[in-house]
């Protein structure tokens, strides 16, 4: 893929540094792909720099995530919010609510949330600029959000349809 950096090309004598004249092996310090994750227990206002992060939220009280104001520069911005209580999953293991807000001045969400129990879920309609992960949601319930530069798209999964919902207001 371009652009790229040539570390070593013994055939053509091209190296990343003038002090390198040949390479016998390259050892990587880590293998695999690592996600950028952050543990959250309280309200958080996200910024453009938070793109690509996965947030594990173990809320100490009702917790709000506020997404960045949408601009064309935000095209491709994304994040994932996963509810956790720090325990093994139970159908109704959460003790507190998580509210994800599309942000002031942003249009409503577009998307769908499905449940693993019977396949019934929720879909966003006009005016839905919140996603509520209720206090009855099971740990592991999650929402993935991506921006196309003009709207936020959200897709989620939970155990029961009523546990993660699009809404016009924050849950309390």
């Amino acid at each position: 893929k371009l652009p790229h950096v040539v570390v070593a090309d013994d055939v053509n004598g091209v190296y990343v540094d003038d002090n390198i004249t040949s390479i016998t092996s390259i050892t990587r310090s880590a293998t695999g792909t690592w996600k950028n994750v952050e543990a959250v227990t309280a309200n958080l206002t996200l910024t453009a720099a938070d793109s690509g992060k996965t947030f594990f939220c173990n809320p100490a009280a009702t917790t709000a995530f506020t997404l960045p104001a949408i601009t064309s520069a935000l095209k491709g911005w994304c994040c994932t919010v996963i509810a956790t209580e720090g325990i093994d999953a139970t159908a109704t293991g959460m003790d507190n609510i998580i509210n994800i807000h599309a942000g002031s001045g942003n249009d409503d969400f577009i998307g769908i949330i499905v449940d693993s129990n019977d396949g019934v879920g929720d879909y966003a309609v006009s005016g839905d600029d919140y996603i509520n992960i209720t206090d009855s949601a099971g740990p592991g319930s999650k929402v993935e959000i991506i921006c196309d530069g003009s709207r936020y798209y959200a897709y989620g999964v939970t155990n029961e349809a009523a546990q993660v919902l699009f809404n016009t207001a924050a849950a309390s």
Side-chain angles (χ1 to χ4, degrees), residues 69-96:
I70 295 174
T71 67
S72 60
L74 221 56
K75 184 177 183 178
W77 186 95
C78 62
C79 76
T80 301
V81 177
I82 300 175
T84 179
E85 282 290 312
I87 59 171
D88 292 334
T90 59
T92 58
M94 296 297 293
D95 292 328
N96 292 295

Side-chain angles (χ1 to χ4, degrees), residues 28-41:
R28 298 184 338 178
S29 62
T31 60
T33 302
W34 299 86
K35 287 198 174 244
N36 187 359
V37 300
E38 183 176 327
V40 177
T41 59

Side-chain angles (χ1 to χ4, degrees), residues 97 123 149 151:
I97 296 167
Y123 59 92
R151 297 291 293 265

Side-chain angles (χ1 to χ4, degrees), residues 98-100 109 113 129-133 143 145 154 164-166:
I98 302 169
N99 290 304
I100 303 169
F109 282 109
I113 297 165
D129 56 353
Y130 282 87
I131 299 170
N132 309 134
I133 301 176
V143 177
I145 301 166
V164 179
L165 301 166
F166 290 101

Side-chain angles (χ1 to χ4, degrees), residues 80-168:
T80 301
V81 177
I82 300 175
T84 179
E85 282 290 312
I87 59 171
D88 292 334
T90 59
T92 58
M94 296 297 293
D95 292 328
N96 292 295
I97 296 167
I98 302 169
N99 290 304
I100 303 169
H101 185 219
S104 180
N106 290 337
D107 284 330
D108 314 329
F109 282 109
I110 296 174
I112 189 167
I113 297 165
V114 297
D115 78 52
S116 63
N117 189 34
D118 58 15
V120 175
D122 191 27
Y123 59 92
V125 297
S126 181
D128 285 345
D129 56 353
Y130 282 87
I131 299 170
N132 309 134
I133 301 176
T134 69
D135 54 359
S136 66
S141 296
K142 79 173 190 174
V143 177
E144 295 181 12
I145 301 166
I146 187 165
C147 181
D148 70 356
S150 61
R151 297 291 293 265
Y152 279 119
Y153 294 78
Y155 302 93
V157 65
T158 188
N159 183 50
E160 290 286 343
Q163 295 173 348
V164 179
L165 301 166
F166 290 101
N167 209 327
T168 58

